[in-house]
Amino acid sequence: MELYGRDQERAVVEGLLDGARKQRGGVLVVRGEAGIGKTALLDHAAEHATDLRVLRGLGIESESELAFAGLHLLLGAHTDRLDALPAPQARALRAAFGLDVDLPGGSTADRFLVGLAVLSLLGEIAEERPLAVLVDDAQWLDQASVEALLFAARRLGSDPVALVFAVRDGHPFPASGLAELRLAGLDEETGARLLHQHADGLPAHVRGLVLREARGNPLALLELPAALSAAQRSGDLHADFFHLGSRPVSERVERTFLDRARALPPRAQDLLVVAAAEPTGDLGAVLAAGRALDASLDDLAAAEASRLISVADGRLRFTHPLSRSAVYRAAPLSLRTVVHRALAEATTADRRAWHRAAAATGPDESVAADLEHTAQAARRRGGHQAEAAAYERAAALSPTDEQRARRLVAAAEAVENAGEQQRAAGLADRAAAHPHDPLTRARLARIRATAANARGDQRAAHALLVKAAAEVGPHDARAAAYMFLDAMSAAWALNDPGMIARTSAGLTALRPVPSGPRAEPGAARLITAVDGLAAVALGDPARGLPAARLLVEAPGAAESAPGLWERASTHWWHQLIGDLGAAYERARALERDCRAGDAIGLMPAALFHLARAQLLMGRFRDATASAAEGARIAEDTAQGLFAGNLRGVLAHIAAAEGDEDRCRALTRELAAQGLPIAGAWSSGALALLDLGHGRHDEALHRLEDLWAGPHGHSGFALYALPDLVESAVRGGRTERAEAAAAAFAKWADATGQPWARAVALRCRALLATVGAAGGDGAAEATAQGDPADALFAEAVRVHLHDQRPFERARTELLYGEWLRRRLRRSDARPRLRAALELFDAVGAPLWAERARAELRATGETTPVRDREAGLLDRLTPQELQIVRLAATGLSNRDIAAQLFLSPRTVGYHLYKAYPKLGVASRGELARMDLGE
């Protein structure tokens, strides 16, 4: 097949196929208007891929509400290979295809696990020879299939798979970050050549008219001449008679298809409508339904002769998607109703319910109940979008307000599970218009509050949660307590004392009274915790931290907890307690359990908590690996909030390492996301970067903004208070440092953590260097000594038992700098050497250079060698993760399952990592110190 004027486009597609031949996976999204040549380009790819296995897929508009319908049409013939997949993936994909109705424990198929299973299955199919997967009209794929295919597409790596999606303009297709190719119209010269080839003999002025009408659209150039009458072809009719006006080209081409259909005998026209309404192309179903309209196989002959359809191997196919839509949309409602009723009798399960719904002309509980069963089946398969669509349509067909309201609530929850909080809030608003019991009202309020939080409106979220919690409290104290906890999170995010106090006051009705019954243990723990969080926020950490500690350390938050979601939710508060070792261990356990349970949707939360703990502990290499993986999964699973939080962690790592370009690039990405939390992450990271470069005024401005400005966030500011103290003292703004130092000291004392006490002592020492230290402590213990000296020395001593080597190094550096300025060079050198070693060990070259410069200023004569890059520094974050798992003896397949990659990609990374480490086998890896 010749493609006119598409040399560059062909080269792009052929390059993608060549990459698959060379064991390089790739994906391409081809976009353009209807008829612009997307299908022709896919056909060219199939013709060029004679040495590859080719899979063709097609999105069909009427199938877009059926969970995994598109995926089943694409991969359903390869279910015999499912046993080669890891068991959880095989179960998920079988459930998605409707092969296993019941999953273990009545659970549902994780929609992201299905995507991982698709990746593994594509890899299995490609084992024999490279694979080309070509999906036309991808905008009509059901959402569950889109999510699964895109999840796999972003992880192809070294799998020999070329994946091409063709997408029509004007329709959403969430392919951000993937390579795109946009098809424009043909230029006039190329269009004229195509017209001459396929419609030779037209008079010159008619050819010119067709060229102008087609506007470079290849399908229009082929179809418009075929629609001309003999008089129009000869040019005998005036041009205005042929002129189709200013409608889009696709509409003009649809009209040519429609005119061709209307020229058929009546029964052939009816059978075409049946075919257009039956999405799978099942010839048996089309003929069975056609019999209800007195149509038969003989009536297909005329339709085939018109080139609107073709039949092969028992499948009926429209020659172009526009011909299908033209036939269906032009059919009168009465005919479409009869057609769908006939198809409902000829098909089964989900499609039967949707055909019945399409034929319904008013409320019908029987049809609504059918759709509800379809929704429940979709949920078991992990198709939350399809579940929501079925519930929403069932609600519209429900005869009573009670049934309508119940189904709208179910639709809202299904949409929320699909990650579309704003659409879920809209459905919740519609459901809330109907009477509900208090528990249902609370469920709806939670959905609306989640959406408000997602768009950054914490005030609205707080108001919804407090009101709903008060209503549901007498019926379910535990649910109410959780809502108050979420409300407290919103109040903390806004750093609003009034909201915090109102949240605590709202708990009054839930608190047990001495003469009343005891509160349910889970509710009692949450009530105490929310009270404690309020106390900390309102300036009384000594009273509040024990209660907050109860929240994260109680059995409900530990590894034995029944739900991963609860553990992920309560983990946010670990940073408030300051016990970084416990935070790390619990985050690591949460991450392991998410991997073991294939809970891909929770991985961004688990990896964020882990990366933040690693960052605070100065384990920058590990934090980078965790945050990079978490950000990738968050983007693939449309979790923008966690993608932003994980970028924030990476920005802080870049700041600590002194990488200015990378830090600023990450904060720009944060700003582009438009998330409210972005300002807090950016202020903290850029302030640390400024401190490292000695830009104290800039750092102070950012940190004051973080503490009390537009980007104020108490959770972030708490750990940044020592930076504020340092920048204020170094910038000569001592008065601004005093309040910050006092607030941090108060919190540090309440935590009982050595690192916090050491940093608090450092803050007091900095203030003492300008004569501003006060209160009791180590300074008063040496009446004849310098207060700053005693405070610095005590801080260093306490640091020996802490969990934050980067902070210890900063204390040693500040102490050494102060000693050198006091001309105590011999005393300064041990401090500066310790700082240099620690900065080198954690990987903070900018700060190490500061320590090195200070050492030179003391007259240090001992050669100071630059830190040599270790073996692990040669690995990328993903290579590091993979070699650590390989060292435990796991196979490539097992590692792939844990890291949500394909086995080939794991093998590729090991191939790259072995030479960097100087090893040749897993056995050698097992004997190495891999820095865990």
Side-chain angles (χ1 to χ4, degrees):
M1 179 187 68
E2 184 178 2
L3 280 180
Y4 287 80
R6 298 296 189 202
D7 291 348
Q8 293 182 349
E9 292 84 351
R10 287 204 317 268
V12 171
V13 170
E14 290 169 10
L16 190 72
L17 298 174
D18 287 341
R21 294 183 180 101
K22 298 172 182 175
Q23 310 297 306
R24 273 198 325 270
V27 59
L28 180 68
V29 179
V30 180
R31 294 186 185 269
E33 67 177 17
I36 201 66
K38 303 184 297 295
T39 302
L41 195 61
L42 294 187
D43 290 340
H44 172 78
E47 291 178 5
H48 190 72
T50 53
D51 56 330
L52 279 69
R53 180 190 292 272
V54 178
L55 298 182
R56 297 292 295 259
L58 177 68
I60 301 172
E61 187 173 6
S62 58
E63 292 270 86
S64 60
E65 305 293 4
L66 292 177
F68 299 110
L71 195 64
H72 192 272
L73 287 173
L74 181 67
L75 296 174
H78 297 278
T79 54
D80 59 318
R81 297 176 181 265
L82 292 182
D83 288 339
L85 274 56
Q89 295 178 29
R91 280 197 301 270
L93 200 51
R94 283 194 176 97
F97 288 166
L99 302 177
D100 290 344
V101 175
D102 295 319
L103 290 171
S107 60
T108 63
D110 185 293
R111 58 199 176 112
F112 305 122
L113 185 58
V114 174
L116 185 60
V118 169
L119 175 66
S120 298
L121 182 56
L122 292 176
E124 284 294 323
I125 298 171
E127 277 293 326
E128 299 162 9
R129 53 180 169 148
L131 178 65
V133 182
L134 311 175
V135 183
D136 205 354
D137 263 350
Q139 75 279 352
W140 298 131
L141 288 174
D142 60 279
Q143 189 64 26
S145 294
V146 170
E147 288 177 350
L149 286 168
L150 289 180
F151 190 92
R154 290 188 167 97
R155 285 169 166 71
L156 287 174
S158 59
D159 293 273
V161 178
L163 179 53
V164 185
F165 298 100
V167 180
R168 191 183 303 181
D169 279 347
H171 299 274
F173 189 75
S176 60
L178 300 181
E180 290 197 0
L181 176 64
R182 177 161 295 281
L183 298 187
L186 302 178
D187 59 51
E188 187 172 349
E189 180 182 350
T190 305
R193 284 197 295 112
L194 176 61
L195 187 61
H196 175 74
Q197 179 70 26
H198 292 275
D200 192 22
L202 291 177
H205 69 284
V206 177
R207 284 202 308 273
L209 184 60
V210 172
L211 283 170
R212 287 194 298 274
E213 289 289 332
R215 298 180 187 175
N217 184 293
L219 184 63
L221 288 166
L222 294 176
E223 296 296 337
L224 289 178
L228 299 177
S229 68
Q232 289 169 331
R233 282 178 171 276
S234 67
D236 292 341
L237 288 181
H238 194 272
D240 285 344
F241 186 85
F242 173 65
H243 187 62
L244 295 173
S246 58
R247 294 196 308 275
V249 172
S250 61
E251 288 187 24
R252 304 175 209 182
V253 177
E254 277 192 337
R255 176 173 164 176
T256 69
F257 288 134
L258 188 57
D259 289 343
R260 202 182 302 168
R262 285 173 174 165
L264 296 174
R267 287 180 181 173
Q269 291 187 47
D270 291 347
L271 203 57
L272 270 182
V273 177
V274 175
E278 203 297 309
T280 67
D282 183 341
L283 184 59
V286 170
L287 292 174
R291 282 193 287 272
L293 286 80
D294 295 325
S296 66
L297 183 62
D298 293 338
D299 295 307
L300 280 180
E304 283 190 275
S306 71
R307 296 185 299 110
L308 288 169
I309 60 170
S310 62
V311 179
D313 301 323
R315 314 300 293 182
L316 186 152
R317 178 175 178 269
F318 278 83
T319 53
H320 196 278
L322 282 178
S323 60
R324 176 192 291 273
S325 58
V327 166
Y328 184 80
R329 291 173 186 171
L333 176 61
S334 57
L335 176 58
R336 293 204 305 269
T337 299
V338 171
V339 163
H340 282 293
R341 284 176 182 160
L343 283 168
E345 295 300 319
T347 53
T348 58
D350 293 354
R351 290 190 175 93
R352 178 179 183 274
W354 279 105
H355 282 307
R356 292 189 70 201
T361 56
D364 186 326
E365 176 56 23
S366 171
V367 177
D370 256 9
L371 283 169
E372 186 165 353
H373 291 144
T374 293
Q376 292 163 355
R379 180 175 67 250
R380 289 192 294 271
R381 297 198 296 270
H384 297 300
Q385 291 280 8
E387 176 193 357
Y391 272 127
E392 190 173 3
R393 181 67 175 136
L397 294 173
S398 298
T400 69
D401 284 345
E402 180 184 356
Q403 292 164 327
R404 188 175 302 113
R406 177 177 60 80
R407 286 161 176 156
L408 281 173
V409 172
E413 291 183 328
V415 170
E416 185 185 39
N417 287 335
E420 291 192 35
Q421 286 91 353
Q422 303 313 317
R423 185 181 163 214
L427 285 166
D429 288 341
R430 287 170 54 193
H434 300 280
H436 291 292
D437 62 86
L439 292 175
T440 302
R441 285 198 298 273
R443 287 160 63 194
L444 292 172
R446 183 192 56 75
I447 291 170
R448 295 156 78 190
T450 299
N453 266 322
R455 65 175 181 266
D457 191 352
Q458 276 79 28
R459 292 191 186 280
H462 181 270
L464 285 164
L465 290 165
V466 168
K467 182 175 183 295
E471 289 183 5
V472 80
H475 308 278
D476 189 334
R478 183 179 173 85
Y482 259 112
M483 296 181 85
F484 275 120
L485 177 62
D486 289 340
M488 182 62 75
S489 298
W492 262 79
L494 289 174
N495 207 29
D496 188 319
M499 289 173 64
I500 291 167
R502 288 195 299 277
T503 309
S504 184
L507 286 165
T508 300
L510 296 181
R511 294 189 182 96
V513 297
S515 59
R518 296 182 61 186
E520 188 267 326
R525 173 172 64 87
L526 290 166
I527 293 166
T528 303
V530 175
D531 273 335
L533 296 173
V536 175
L538 297 174
D540 191 358
R543 182 172 73 86
L545 280 186
R549 192 173 292 114
L550 178 67
L551 174 66
V552 298
E553 294 179 355
E559 287 81 347
S560 60
L564 295 174
W565 284 102
E566 181 185 22
R567 289 164 57 189
S569 175
T570 56
H571 206 293
W572 282 100
W573 299 103
H574 261 295
Q575 62 178 312
L576 189 64
I577 296 169
D579 187 348
L580 303 181
Y584 170 77
E585 291 299 333
R586 288 193 173 89
R588 190 67 188 273
L590 177 62
E591 176 226 12
R592 283 196 301 266
D593 291 349
C594 286
R595 292 194 195 279
D598 296 293
I600 302 175
L602 258 183
M603 282 300 296
L607 288 167
F608 166 68
H609 295 313
L610 180 60
R612 182 158 173 76
Q614 290 165 331
L615 166 67
L616 292 173
M617 296 172 75
R619 299 172 62 168
F620 299 150
R621 181 195 294 117
D622 292 345
T624 299
S626 299
E629 182 189 9
R632 176 169 53 86
I633 297 174
E635 288 162 1
D636 290 352
T637 56
Q639 298 187 59
L641 180 61
F642 277 109
N645 285 329
L646 288 154
R647 280 198 180 92
V649 171
L650 291 169
H652 273 261
I653 296 168
E657 293 174 342
D659 189 337
E660 182 144 16
D661 291 342
R662 183 161 161 263
C663 181
R664 293 191 182 281
L666 284 163
T667 54
R668 283 194 296 271
E669 289 179 22
L670 273 169
Q673 278 188 276
L675 296 171
I677 204 70
W681 277 114
S682 297
S683 293
L686 292 171
L688 181 61
L689 182 70
D690 288 333
L691 266 182
H693 283 281
R695 302 187 291 254
H696 301 111
D697 287 343
E698 291 92 331
L700 179 60
H701 174 73
R702 297 185 196 280
L703 291 164
E704 287 187 323
D705 176 47
L706 182 60
W707 181 244
H711 298 130
H713 192 291
S714 51
F716 285 90
L718 189 60
Y719 280 76
L721 282 174
D723 295 347
L724 194 158
V725 172
E726 181 178 340
S727 59
V729 169
R730 286 300 187 89
R733 311 288 180 85
T734 308
E735 73 287 352
R736 302 189 186 185
E738 291 173 345
F744 187 81
K746 195 173 184 181
W747 174 76
D749 288 343
T751 68
Q753 296 298 316
W755 76 263
R757 181 166 178 259
V759 174
L761 286 165
R762 182 179 83 203
C763 291
R764 291 180 61 203
L766 281 168
L767 286 167
T769 62
V770 290
D776 58 359
E780 288 71 22
T782 54
Q784 296 180 347
D786 191 309
D789 195 2
L791 287 162
F792 270 130
E794 179 67 2
V796 167
R797 186 189 68 77
V798 176
H799 265 307
L800 295 176
H801 308 285
D802 75 15
Q803 306 158 315
R804 302 192 69 185
F806 182 65
E807 292 302 322
R808 177 186 165 195
R810 289 179 62 185
T811 299
E812 296 272 19
L813 175 62
L814 288 168
Y815 191 13
E817 288 176 338
W818 179 78
L819 289 169
R820 185 190 65 77
R821 288 196 302 272
R822 302 277 290 193
L823 303 181
R824 294 169 57 184
R825 295 184 180 89
S826 60
D827 292 333
R829 288 177 192 131
R831 308 273 65 85
L832 295 171
R833 288 192 203 102
L836 176 59
E837 290 172 4
L838 285 165
F839 285 135
D840 272 343
V842 300
L846 176 66
W847 294 82
E849 182 51 42
R850 274 184 54 181
R852 190 175 290 114
E854 287 289 328
L855 265 174
R856 288 195 295 267
T858 67
E860 174 72 75
T861 56
T862 303
V864 180
R865 296 183 301 169
D866 288 339
R867 174 176 177 261
E868 294 181 3
L871 288 176
L872 298 186
D873 292 325
R874 302 173 186 175
L875 303 179
T876 67
Q878 195 161 74
E879 288 169 354
L880 178 62
Q881 285 183 302
I882 289 171
V883 297
R884 282 175 171 171
L885 290 171
T888 68
L890 291 178
S891 68
N892 287 5
R893 176 175 144 169
D894 292 334
I895 296 170
Q898 286 210 25
L899 297 183
F900 313 119
L901 301 169
S902 75
R904 279 182 177 269
T905 297
V906 170
Y908 173 78
H909 283 299
L910 284 174
Y911 171 77
K912 300 287 284 185
Y914 279 176
K916 295 178 182 180
L917 297 175
V919 301
S921 70
R922 278 174 165 76
E924 292 179 73
L925 284 178
R927 294 190 292 271
M928 293 187 68
D929 177 8
L930 296 175
E932 287 189 279

